[in-house]
Protein backbone atom coordinates (compact mmCIF):
# COMPACT_ATOMS: atom_id res chain seq x y z
CA UNK A 1 0.00 0.00 0.00
CA UNK A 2 1.38 3.40 -1.02
CA UNK A 3 0.77 6.75 0.70
CA UNK A 4 -1.18 9.16 -1.47
CA UNK A 5 -0.11 12.70 -2.38
CA UNK A 6 -2.64 15.44 -3.10
CA UNK A 7 -5.67 13.54 -1.74
CA UNK A 8 -7.42 16.75 -0.72
CA UNK A 9 -7.27 18.01 -4.33
CA UNK A 10 -9.22 15.03 -5.71
CA UNK A 11 -12.96 15.32 -6.38
CA UNK A 12 -15.33 13.63 -3.94
CA UNK A 13 -15.88 10.73 -6.36
CA UNK A 14 -12.14 10.30 -6.92
CA UNK A 15 -11.54 10.29 -3.16
CA UNK A 16 -14.15 7.60 -2.64
CA UNK A 17 -12.78 5.50 -5.51
CA UNK A 18 -9.25 5.71 -4.14
CA UNK A 19 -10.37 4.86 -0.61
CA UNK A 20 -12.58 1.95 -1.60
CA UNK A 21 -10.06 0.58 -4.11
CA UNK A 22 -7.24 0.83 -1.58
CA UNK A 23 -8.96 -0.50 1.53
CA UNK A 24 -12.13 -2.32 0.44
CA UNK A 25 -11.18 -4.11 -2.80
CA UNK A 26 -13.22 -1.64 -4.87
CA UNK A 27 -16.50 -2.79 -3.31
CA UNK A 28 -19.50 -1.20 -5.05
CA UNK A 29 -21.57 -1.91 -1.94
CA UNK A 30 -19.20 0.19 0.16
CA UNK A 31 -19.55 3.10 -2.29
CA UNK A 32 -23.31 2.70 -2.10
CA UNK A 33 -23.17 3.01 1.71
CA UNK A 34 -21.55 6.42 1.36
CA UNK A 35 -23.77 7.56 -1.48
CA UNK A 36 -27.06 6.64 0.15
CA UNK A 37 -26.45 9.39 2.71
CA UNK A 38 -25.85 12.11 0.12
CA UNK A 39 -28.57 14.70 0.08
CA UNK A 40 -30.65 14.98 -3.08
CA UNK A 41 -30.52 18.74 -2.77
CA UNK A 42 -27.11 19.53 -4.27
CA UNK A 43 -26.88 22.93 -2.62
CA UNK A 44 -27.58 21.51 0.83
CA UNK A 45 -25.04 18.77 0.19
CA UNK A 46 -22.39 21.28 -0.82
CA UNK A 47 -23.07 23.25 2.36
CA UNK A 48 -22.36 20.14 4.44
CA UNK A 49 -19.35 19.16 2.34
CA UNK A 50 -17.84 22.57 2.99
CA UNK A 51 -18.10 22.35 6.78
CA UNK A 52 -15.00 20.16 6.76
CA UNK A 53 -12.28 18.77 4.51
CA UNK A 54 -12.17 15.50 2.54
CA UNK A 55 -15.90 15.07 3.09
CA UNK A 56 -17.27 11.85 1.61
CA UNK A 57 -20.77 11.63 3.00
CA UNK A 58 -23.03 12.77 5.83
CA UNK A 59 -23.10 11.07 9.21
CA UNK A 60 -26.60 10.98 10.62
CA UNK A 61 -27.29 11.40 14.31
CA UNK A 62 -30.79 11.19 15.76
CA UNK A 63 -32.13 14.70 16.30
CA UNK A 64 -34.87 14.68 18.92
CA UNK A 65 -36.55 16.87 21.43
CA UNK A 66 -37.24 16.69 25.18
CA UNK A 67 -40.40 18.71 25.94
CA UNK A 68 -41.81 20.18 29.17
CA UNK A 69 -38.69 21.87 30.49
CA UNK A 70 -39.76 24.73 32.72
CA UNK A 71 -36.73 27.02 33.06
CA UNK A 72 -37.03 30.39 34.82
CA UNK A 73 -40.82 30.10 34.36
CA UNK A 74 -40.57 29.64 30.59
CA UNK A 75 -41.52 26.36 28.94
CA UNK A 76 -38.99 24.88 26.50
CA UNK A 77 -38.77 21.86 24.26
CA UNK A 78 -35.05 21.17 24.25
CA UNK A 79 -33.46 19.88 21.02
CA UNK A 80 -30.96 17.06 21.46
CA UNK A 81 -28.67 15.36 18.94
CA UNK A 82 -27.46 12.11 20.45
CA UNK A 83 -27.03 8.50 19.43
CA UNK A 84 -27.30 6.96 22.92
CA UNK A 85 -30.70 5.43 23.46
CA UNK A 86 -32.55 6.55 26.59
CA UNK A 87 -30.86 9.97 26.99
CA UNK A 88 -33.78 11.93 25.51
CA UNK A 89 -36.27 9.76 27.40
CA UNK A 90 -34.40 10.37 30.67
CA UNK A 91 -34.29 14.14 30.05
CA UNK A 92 -38.03 14.20 29.30
CA UNK A 93 -38.76 12.24 32.46
CA UNK A 94 -36.72 14.63 34.62
CA UNK A 95 -38.39 17.63 32.93
CA UNK A 96 -41.81 16.25 33.75
CA UNK A 97 -40.81 15.47 37.33
CA UNK A 98 -39.68 19.07 37.98
CA UNK A 99 -42.50 20.65 35.98
CA UNK A 100 -44.81 20.25 38.98
CA UNK A 101 -42.17 21.18 41.53
CA UNK A 102 -41.26 24.72 40.42
CA UNK A 103 -39.15 23.82 37.41
CA UNK A 104 -35.47 24.60 36.84
CA UNK A 105 -33.71 27.88 37.52
CA UNK A 106 -30.59 29.15 35.83
CA UNK A 107 -28.40 32.15 36.43
CA UNK A 108 -25.22 33.47 34.85
CA UNK A 109 -22.35 33.67 37.33
CA UNK A 110 -19.92 35.33 34.93
CA UNK A 111 -19.38 36.00 31.25
CA UNK A 112 -15.67 36.52 30.79
CA UNK A 113 -13.61 34.37 28.48
CA UNK A 114 -9.86 34.39 28.44
CA UNK A 115 -6.80 33.68 26.39
CA UNK A 116 -3.04 33.94 26.58
CA UNK A 117 0.08 34.82 24.70
CA UNK A 118 2.59 32.38 26.19
CA UNK A 119 6.11 33.73 25.86
CA UNK A 120 9.64 33.34 27.16
CA UNK A 121 11.77 36.30 28.22
CA UNK A 122 15.05 35.92 30.08
CA UNK A 123 15.63 39.64 30.75
CA UNK A 124 14.93 41.91 33.68
CA UNK A 125 11.50 41.11 35.15
CA UNK A 126 10.93 44.58 36.57
CA UNK A 127 11.66 46.19 33.22
CA UNK A 128 9.12 44.08 31.34
CA UNK A 129 6.50 44.71 34.02
CA UNK A 130 7.04 48.44 33.82
CA UNK A 131 7.07 48.38 30.00
CA UNK A 132 3.86 46.37 29.98
CA UNK A 133 1.94 48.83 32.13
CA UNK A 134 3.40 52.04 30.74
CA UNK A 135 3.45 51.20 27.06
CA UNK A 136 2.06 47.87 25.98
CA UNK A 137 -1.49 47.77 27.38
CA UNK A 138 -2.57 50.86 25.47
CA UNK A 139 -0.70 49.80 22.36
CA UNK A 140 -2.39 46.37 22.45
CA UNK A 141 -5.77 48.13 22.47
CA UNK A 142 -4.79 50.51 19.64
CA UNK A 143 -3.40 47.73 17.47
CA UNK A 144 -6.53 45.58 17.84
CA UNK A 145 -8.99 48.44 17.25
CA UNK A 146 -10.00 47.18 13.81
CA UNK A 147 -10.66 43.68 15.23
CA UNK A 148 -12.59 44.88 18.29
CA UNK A 149 -14.69 47.57 16.59
CA UNK A 150 -17.67 45.37 15.70
CA UNK A 151 -17.54 43.42 18.95
CA UNK A 152 -17.61 46.69 20.90
CA UNK A 153 -20.66 47.81 18.90
CA UNK A 154 -22.40 44.63 20.08
CA UNK A 155 -21.47 45.43 23.69
CA UNK A 156 -18.36 43.27 24.06
CA UNK A 157 -14.63 43.51 23.48
CA UNK A 158 -11.42 43.29 25.50
CA UNK A 159 -12.11 43.58 29.23
CA UNK A 160 -8.61 43.46 30.67
CA UNK A 161 -5.01 42.70 29.77
CA UNK A 162 -2.33 41.78 32.27
CA UNK A 163 1.15 40.38 32.44
CA UNK A 164 1.44 37.14 34.42
CA UNK A 165 4.80 36.06 35.78
CA UNK A 166 5.08 32.27 35.58
CA UNK A 167 8.84 32.09 36.06
CA UNK A 168 8.44 30.03 39.24
CA UNK A 169 7.08 27.23 37.04
CA UNK A 170 9.25 27.50 33.92
CA UNK A 171 12.35 29.68 33.66
CA UNK A 172 11.56 32.84 31.69
CA UNK A 173 7.86 31.95 31.23
CA UNK A 174 5.42 34.88 31.11
CA UNK A 175 1.87 35.26 29.82
CA UNK A 176 -0.15 38.09 28.45
CA UNK A 177 -3.51 37.16 29.94
CA UNK A 178 -6.50 38.89 28.41
CA UNK A 179 -10.18 38.67 29.28
CA UNK A 180 -12.94 39.16 26.76
CA UNK A 181 -16.67 39.57 26.46
CA UNK A 182 -17.74 38.00 23.18
CA UNK A 183 -21.48 38.67 23.72
CA UNK A 184 -23.48 36.09 21.73
CA UNK A 185 -20.62 34.53 19.80
CA UNK A 186 -18.48 31.70 21.11
CA UNK A 187 -15.69 34.08 20.22
CA UNK A 188 -12.78 31.77 19.46
CA UNK A 189 -11.81 33.57 16.24
CA UNK A 190 -12.17 36.97 17.82
CA UNK A 191 -10.06 36.05 20.86
CA UNK A 192 -7.36 34.31 18.83
CA UNK A 193 -7.12 37.24 16.39
CA UNK A 194 -6.66 39.68 19.28
CA UNK A 195 -4.03 37.47 20.91
CA UNK A 196 -2.05 37.04 17.72
CA UNK A 197 -2.03 40.80 17.32
CA UNK A 198 -0.84 41.20 20.93
CA UNK A 199 2.09 38.89 20.24
CA UNK A 200 3.09 40.91 17.15
CA UNK A 201 2.77 44.15 19.10
CA UNK A 202 4.92 42.76 21.91
CA UNK A 203 7.66 41.74 19.45
CA UNK A 204 7.58 45.03 17.54
CA UNK A 205 7.46 47.26 20.61
CA UNK A 206 10.25 45.45 22.39
CA UNK A 207 12.44 45.53 19.28
CA UNK A 208 11.92 49.32 19.00
CA UNK A 209 12.38 50.10 22.70
CA UNK A 210 15.50 51.58 24.32
CA UNK A 211 14.60 50.05 27.64
CA UNK A 212 15.98 46.60 26.82
CA UNK A 213 19.48 45.43 25.95
CA UNK A 214 20.03 43.56 22.69
CA UNK A 215 20.50 40.37 24.70
CA UNK A 216 17.16 40.88 26.41
CA UNK A 217 15.45 41.58 23.10
CA UNK A 218 16.96 38.45 21.56
CA UNK A 219 15.69 36.35 24.48
CA UNK A 220 12.05 37.09 23.67
CA UNK A 221 10.33 34.06 22.22
CA UNK A 222 6.60 33.99 21.50
CA UNK A 223 5.62 30.36 22.05
CA UNK A 224 1.92 30.55 21.16
CA UNK A 225 -1.18 32.73 21.26
CA UNK A 226 -4.45 30.96 21.95
CA UNK A 227 -7.71 31.22 23.86
CA UNK A 228 -8.24 29.00 26.89
CA UNK A 229 -11.07 26.51 26.72
CA UNK A 230 -11.21 26.63 30.49
CA UNK A 231 -13.55 29.50 31.28
CA UNK A 232 -14.05 29.62 35.06
CA UNK A 233 -15.36 33.17 34.79
CA UNK A 234 -17.83 32.24 32.08
CA UNK A 235 -20.07 30.24 34.32
CA UNK A 236 -23.70 29.28 34.58
CA UNK A 237 -25.60 27.74 37.49
CA UNK A 238 -28.69 25.59 37.03
CA UNK A 239 -30.66 24.29 39.99
CA UNK A 240 -33.83 22.68 41.25
CA UNK A 241 -35.27 22.73 44.74
CA UNK A 242 -38.37 21.61 46.56
CA UNK A 243 -39.45 20.42 50.00
CA UNK A 244 -38.06 16.94 50.64
CA UNK A 245 -41.60 15.74 51.25
CA UNK A 246 -42.49 16.46 47.61
CA UNK A 247 -39.77 14.20 46.22
CA UNK A 248 -41.62 10.95 46.56
CA UNK A 249 -43.45 9.20 43.79
CA UNK A 250 -45.24 5.91 43.50
CA UNK A 251 -43.21 3.30 45.34
CA UNK A 252 -40.52 5.78 46.44
CA UNK A 253 -40.33 7.10 49.98
CA UNK A 254 -39.43 10.83 49.78
CA UNK A 255 -37.06 11.15 52.79
CA UNK A 256 -35.21 7.94 52.07
CA UNK A 257 -34.85 8.86 48.42
CA UNK A 258 -33.52 12.36 49.21
CA UNK A 259 -30.88 10.96 51.59
CA UNK A 260 -29.77 8.25 49.19
CA UNK A 261 -29.66 10.70 46.30
CA UNK A 262 -27.50 13.08 48.32
CA UNK A 263 -25.14 10.22 49.24
CA UNK A 264 -24.80 9.38 45.55
CA UNK A 265 -23.75 12.98 44.81
CA UNK A 266 -21.34 12.99 47.78
CA UNK A 267 -19.71 9.81 46.52
CA UNK A 268 -19.16 11.44 43.12
CA UNK A 269 -17.72 14.51 44.85
CA UNK A 270 -14.93 12.51 46.48
CA UNK A 271 -14.45 9.39 44.37
CA UNK A 272 -12.96 9.98 40.89
CA UNK A 273 -13.99 6.52 39.60
CA UNK A 274 -17.63 7.33 40.26
CA UNK A 275 -17.21 11.01 39.30
CA UNK A 276 -16.11 10.05 35.78
CA UNK A 277 -19.34 8.10 35.19
CA UNK A 278 -21.48 10.62 37.04
CA UNK A 279 -20.11 13.49 34.94
CA UNK A 280 -20.33 11.40 31.77
CA UNK A 281 -24.06 11.18 32.42
CA UNK A 282 -24.23 14.96 32.83
CA UNK A 283 -22.39 15.41 29.54
CA UNK A 284 -24.94 13.11 27.84
CA UNK A 285 -27.41 15.95 28.28
CA UNK A 286 -24.98 18.83 27.83
CA UNK A 287 -23.35 17.57 24.63
CA UNK A 288 -26.65 16.60 23.03
CA UNK A 289 -27.91 20.20 23.24
CA UNK A 290 -24.51 21.66 22.41
CA UNK A 291 -24.37 19.58 19.21
CA UNK A 292 -28.00 20.27 18.28
CA UNK A 293 -27.36 24.01 18.59
CA UNK A 294 -24.19 23.87 16.47
CA UNK A 295 -21.71 24.52 19.24
CA UNK A 296 -18.29 23.06 19.94
CA UNK A 297 -18.78 20.10 22.27
CA UNK A 298 -15.03 19.43 22.58
CA UNK A 299 -14.55 22.90 24.04
CA UNK A 300 -17.46 22.33 26.40
CA UNK A 301 -16.09 18.93 27.49
CA UNK A 302 -12.61 20.37 28.05
CA UNK A 303 -13.95 23.17 30.25
CA UNK A 304 -16.24 20.88 32.24
CA UNK A 305 -13.55 18.31 33.07
CA UNK A 306 -10.96 20.97 33.90
CA UNK A 307 -13.50 22.50 36.28
CA UNK A 308 -14.27 19.09 37.77
CA UNK A 309 -10.59 18.69 38.69
CA UNK A 310 -9.89 22.25 39.82
CA UNK A 311 -9.30 21.18 43.45
CA UNK A 312 -6.53 18.78 42.42
CA UNK A 313 -8.78 15.72 42.36
CA UNK A 314 -11.53 14.91 39.87
CA UNK A 315 -15.04 15.26 41.30
CA UNK A 316 -18.72 15.76 40.61
CA UNK A 317 -19.98 18.72 38.59
CA UNK A 318 -23.27 18.62 40.50
CA UNK A 319 -23.93 19.18 44.18
CA UNK A 320 -26.79 18.49 46.53
CA UNK A 321 -27.89 19.65 49.96
CA UNK A 322 -30.81 19.06 52.28
CA UNK A 323 -31.41 21.96 54.65
CA UNK A 324 -34.44 22.75 56.79
CA UNK A 325 -36.48 20.14 54.98
CA UNK A 326 -35.60 21.49 51.54
CA UNK A 327 -33.85 19.48 48.83
CA UNK A 328 -31.55 21.48 46.54
CA UNK A 329 -29.60 20.08 43.61
CA UNK A 330 -27.40 22.19 41.33
CA UNK A 331 -24.62 22.38 38.77
CA UNK A 332 -22.06 25.10 38.10
CA UNK A 333 -20.81 24.76 34.56
CA UNK A 334 -18.14 26.86 32.86
CA UNK A 335 -19.32 26.81 29.27
CA UNK A 336 -18.58 28.91 26.18
CA UNK A 337 -21.44 28.90 23.70
CA UNK A 338 -22.50 30.98 20.76
CA UNK A 339 -25.87 31.73 19.22
CA UNK A 340 -24.40 33.79 16.38
CA UNK A 341 -21.55 32.93 14.04
CA UNK A 342 -20.12 29.49 13.30
CA UNK A 343 -22.70 26.88 12.30
CA UNK A 344 -25.57 28.78 13.93
CA UNK A 345 -26.74 30.55 10.81
CA UNK A 346 -25.40 28.02 8.29
CA UNK A 347 -26.78 24.66 9.34
CA UNK A 348 -30.55 24.41 8.73
CA UNK A 349 -31.09 22.00 11.65
CA UNK A 350 -29.13 24.23 14.01
CA UNK A 351 -31.28 27.18 12.93
CA UNK A 352 -34.35 25.04 13.59
CA UNK A 353 -33.02 24.07 17.04
CA UNK A 354 -32.38 27.70 17.97
CA UNK A 355 -35.78 28.72 16.59
CA UNK A 356 -37.68 26.23 18.76
CA UNK A 357 -35.75 27.57 21.75
CA UNK A 358 -37.05 31.03 20.83
CA UNK A 359 -33.75 32.32 19.39
CA UNK A 360 -31.94 32.49 22.74
CA UNK A 361 -28.92 34.68 23.35
CA UNK A 362 -25.72 32.97 24.47
CA UNK A 363 -26.49 33.36 28.17
CA UNK A 364 -29.97 31.91 27.86
CA UNK A 365 -28.52 28.98 25.92
CA UNK A 366 -25.89 28.44 28.64
CA UNK A 367 -28.75 28.07 31.11
CA UNK A 368 -30.66 25.64 28.88
CA UNK A 369 -27.58 23.47 28.37
CA UNK A 370 -26.75 23.41 32.08
CA UNK A 371 -30.35 22.44 32.82
CA UNK A 372 -30.10 19.57 30.33
CA UNK A 373 -27.00 18.33 32.15
CA UNK A 374 -28.61 18.66 35.57
CA UNK A 375 -31.79 16.92 34.39
CA UNK A 376 -29.78 14.06 32.95
CA UNK A 377 -27.88 13.64 36.20
CA UNK A 378 -31.10 13.77 38.19
CA UNK A 379 -32.67 11.08 36.02
CA UNK A 380 -29.58 8.86 36.20
CA UNK A 381 -29.22 9.16 40.00
CA UNK A 382 -32.92 8.67 40.53
CA UNK A 383 -32.79 5.41 38.59
CA UNK A 384 -29.49 4.28 40.08
CA UNK A 385 -30.60 4.84 43.67
CA UNK A 386 -34.03 3.25 43.19
CA UNK A 387 -34.69 0.73 40.39
CA UNK A 388 -31.23 0.62 38.76
CA UNK A 389 -30.65 1.89 35.23
CA UNK A 390 -30.91 -1.37 33.33
CA UNK A 391 -34.70 -1.37 33.48
CA UNK A 392 -34.96 1.80 31.40
CA UNK A 393 -32.04 0.99 29.16
CA UNK A 394 -33.20 -2.47 28.26
CA UNK A 395 -36.24 -1.37 26.29
CA UNK A 396 -34.06 0.71 23.96
CA UNK A 397 -31.52 -2.12 23.83
CA UNK A 398 -34.33 -4.49 22.82
CA UNK A 399 -35.44 -2.17 20.00
CA UNK A 400 -31.89 -1.81 18.73
CA UNK A 401 -31.53 -5.60 18.55
CA UNK A 402 -34.93 -5.93 16.84
CA UNK A 403 -33.92 -3.28 14.29
CA UNK A 404 -30.75 -5.23 13.55
CA UNK A 405 -32.86 -8.36 13.02
CA UNK A 406 -35.29 -6.51 10.74
CA UNK A 407 -38.33 -7.12 12.98
CA UNK A 408 -41.75 -5.97 11.78
CA UNK A 409 -43.97 -3.61 13.82
CA UNK A 410 -46.10 -6.59 14.85
CA UNK A 411 -43.01 -8.46 16.06
CA UNK A 412 -41.85 -5.36 17.93
CA UNK A 413 -45.16 -5.24 19.80
CA UNK A 414 -44.88 -8.94 20.59
CA UNK A 415 -41.34 -8.52 21.98
CA UNK A 416 -42.29 -5.51 24.10
CA UNK A 417 -44.82 -7.68 25.92
CA UNK A 418 -42.65 -10.80 25.90
CA UNK A 419 -39.73 -9.04 27.63
CA UNK A 420 -41.83 -7.09 30.11
CA UNK A 421 -40.87 -9.51 32.90
CA UNK A 422 -37.67 -10.99 31.44
CA UNK A 423 -34.07 -9.83 31.18
CA UNK A 424 -33.15 -8.58 27.72
CA UNK A 425 -29.99 -10.13 26.32
CA UNK A 426 -28.87 -10.36 22.70
CA UNK A 427 -28.97 -14.15 22.90
CA UNK A 428 -32.47 -14.25 24.41
CA UNK A 429 -33.88 -11.89 21.78
CA UNK A 430 -32.31 -13.74 18.85
CA UNK A 431 -33.45 -17.13 20.17
CA UNK A 432 -37.06 -15.98 20.60
CA UNK A 433 -36.94 -14.16 17.26
CA UNK A 434 -35.78 -17.29 15.44
CA UNK A 435 -38.40 -19.36 17.25
CA UNK A 436 -41.36 -17.19 16.25
CA UNK A 437 -40.09 -16.72 12.69
CA UNK A 438 -39.73 -20.52 12.30
CA UNK A 439 -43.20 -21.00 13.65
CA UNK A 440 -44.37 -18.61 10.93
C1 LIG B 1 -24.84 6.32 30.88
O1 LIG B 1 -24.59 6.90 29.62
C2 LIG B 1 -24.75 7.36 31.96
C3 LIG B 1 -24.86 6.85 33.39
O2 LIG B 1 -23.91 5.81 33.61
C4 LIG B 1 -24.60 8.02 34.29
C5 LIG B 1 -24.45 7.68 35.74
O3 LIG B 1 -24.03 6.56 36.07
O4 LIG B 1 -24.69 8.60 36.56
C6 LIG B 1 -26.23 6.25 33.65
Amino acid sequence: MEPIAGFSKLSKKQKINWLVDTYLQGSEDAKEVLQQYWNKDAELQRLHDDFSENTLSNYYMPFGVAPNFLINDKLYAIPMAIEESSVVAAASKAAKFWLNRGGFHSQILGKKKLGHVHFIFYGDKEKIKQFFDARLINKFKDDTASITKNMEKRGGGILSIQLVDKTDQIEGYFQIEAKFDTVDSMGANFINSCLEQFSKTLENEMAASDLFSQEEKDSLQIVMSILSNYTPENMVRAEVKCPVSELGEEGIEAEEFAEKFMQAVRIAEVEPYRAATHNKGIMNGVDAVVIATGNDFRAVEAAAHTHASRGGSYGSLTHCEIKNGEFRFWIDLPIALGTVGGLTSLHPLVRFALDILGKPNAQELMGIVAVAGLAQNFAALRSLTTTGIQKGHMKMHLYNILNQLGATDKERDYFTIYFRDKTVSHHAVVTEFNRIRKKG
Side-chain angles (χ1 to χ4, degrees):
M1 210 176 284
E2 293 291 313
I4 183 168
F7 181 75
S8 65
K9 311 234 161 38
L10 300 180
S11 70
K12 194 199 294 193
K13 277 227 159 105
Q14 287 169 325
K15 282 179 188 139
I16 292 174
N17 285 341
W18 177 84
L19 194 70
V20 173
D21 289 347
T22 309
Y23 292 102
L24 302 169
Q25 297 85 42
S27 159
E28 286 303 318
D29 287 351
K31 291 183 195 171
E32 182 50 34
V33 169
L34 290 177
Q35 285 170 14
Q36 70 185 345
Y37 287 100
W38 288 355
N39 201 291
K40 285 194 288 293
D41 178 339
E43 217 173 291
L44 190 63
Q45 185 53 57
R46 178 184 298 256
L47 179 79
H48 283 74
D49 287 348
D50 288 349
F51 287 148
S52 181
E53 299 88 28
N54 296 344
T55 313
L56 306 178
S57 192
N58 307 306
Y59 187 101
Y60 285 179
M61 288 256 275
F63 177 92
V65 75
N68 299 323
F69 268 97
L70 186 66
I71 307 174
N72 298 343
D73 300 323
K74 190 169 159 187
L75 207 50
Y76 294 88
I78 300 188
M80 301 178 103
I82 185 145
E83 88 301 343
E84 185 176 330
S85 53
S86 81
V87 167
V88 176
S92 307
K93 226 170 145 183
K96 219 166 157 196
F97 182 92
W98 286 104
L99 183 63
N100 304 321
R101 293 168 174 85
F104 294 82
H105 294 273
S106 74
Q107 73 181 102
I108 298 296
L109 304 180
K111 55 192 231 29
K112 285 183 195 163
K113 292 166 188 158
L114 76 171
H116 302 93
V117 176
H118 302 269
F119 69 96
I120 302 293
F121 173 70
Y122 293 121
D124 185 327
K125 275 188 193 184
E126 287 315 311
K127 267 200 249 173
I128 192 158
K129 281 180 193 161
Q130 186 199 335
F131 188 58
F132 199 88
D133 292 337
R135 171 89 191 139
L136 285 178
I137 292 188
N138 286 337
K139 190 72 177 121
F140 286 148
K141 289 186 181 156
D142 291 347
D143 289 357
T144 49
S146 62
I147 307 170
T148 55
K149 199 169 160 215
N150 275 342
M151 192 59 88
E152 280 169 8
K153 264 195 215 147
R154 285 161 36 203
I158 300 168
L159 300 173
S160 64
I161 310 172
Q162 63 165 339
L163 180 72
V164 184
D165 181 346
K166 290 276 189 178
T167 54
D168 60 331
Q169 286 172 311
I170 297 176
E171 198 192 341
Y173 175 28
F174 290 87
Q175 297 172 340
I176 304 171
E177 180 177 271
K179 297 189 179 169
F180 304 86
D181 180 353
T182 61
V183 198
D184 287 328
S185 65
M186 194 263 193
N189 282 333
F190 170 74
I191 295 174
N192 290 334
S193 300
C194 289
L195 293 169
E196 286 189 5
Q197 181 56 55
F198 294 167
S199 68
K200 284 188 201 125
T201 302
L202 171 62
E203 277 179 324
N204 294 342
E205 290 298 309
M206 192 177 280
S209 165
D210 301 334
L211 197 64
F212 301 98
S213 68
Q214 194 53 46
E215 200 183 336
E216 284 178 314
K217 290 180 184 184
D218 290 345
S219 79
L220 176 69
Q221 186 192 16
I222 306 290
V223 180
M224 58 193 155
S225 308
I226 186 75
L227 91 170
S228 174
N229 283 123
Y230 181 37
T231 55
E233 293 177 66
N234 197 74
M235 183 82 82
V236 62
R237 172 170 296 170
E239 67 177 281
V240 284
K241 57 182 174 196
C242 74
V244 169
S245 57
E246 285 179 17
L247 278 175
E249 266 191 331
E250 211 184 311
I252 300 178
E253 183 58 47
E255 277 75 17
E256 189 192 328
F257 165 69
E259 276 300 326
K260 215 167 157 192
F261 188 99
M262 193 171 71
Q263 291 299 2
V265 176
R266 279 201 186 137
I267 289 169
E269 282 171 338
V270 300
E271 169 52 63
Y273 280 103
R274 172 55 201 152
T277 318
H278 177 99
N279 289 346
K280 187 273 181 189
I282 294 171
M283 300 316 280
N284 278 344
V286 167
D287 285 344
V289 189
V290 169
I291 294 171
T293 55
N295 275 282
D296 180 346
F297 65 93
R298 286 85 54 207
V300 168
E301 287 275 344
H305 299 301
T306 310
H307 187 62
S309 46
R310 68 196 177 288
S313 160
Y314 189 82
S316 170
L317 288 165
T318 53
H319 305 283
C320 180
E321 69 178 14
I322 299 172
K323 232 180 178 170
N324 304 327
E326 188 177 65
F327 171 88
R328 181 170 165 252
F329 178 49
W330 75 98
I331 184 168
D332 287 346
L333 203 60
I335 186 170
L337 299 176
T339 53
V340 298
L343 279 196
T344 55
S345 53
L346 284 177
H347 196 302
L349 271 180
V350 168
R351 271 206 310 267
F352 175 87
L354 291 170
D355 284 351
I356 60 166
L357 290 174
K359 296 188 174 53
N361 61 23
Q363 294 178 49
E364 194 182 347
L365 186 60
M366 284 165 70
I368 295 166
V369 169
V371 163
L374 187 73
Q376 206 63 43
N377 192 222
F378 180 80
L381 295 187
R382 187 166 168 83
S383 296
L384 286 167
T385 56
T386 55
T387 57
I389 53 158
Q390 286 310 86
K391 194 166 171 247
H393 278 201
M394 278 307 147
K395 198 164 155 198
M396 304 307 281
H397 183 47
L398 171 65
Y399 291 157
N400 280 342
I401 300 169
L402 290 174
N403 281 343
Q404 278 164 18
L405 294 171
T408 62
D409 286 349
K410 213 169 142 202
E411 285 166 338
R412 227 172 121 106
D413 292 344
Y414 167 80
F415 274 89
T416 309
I417 296 166
Y418 179 82
F419 275 104
R420 204 171 267 166
D421 53 358
K422 296 180 188 64
T423 305
V424 178
S425 75
H426 194 267
H427 177 74
V429 179
V430 174
T431 307
E432 181 60 10
F433 186 79
N434 289 339
R435 194 189 69 77
I436 62 164
R437 278 266 166 120
K438 226 183 239 158
K439 228 172 95 191

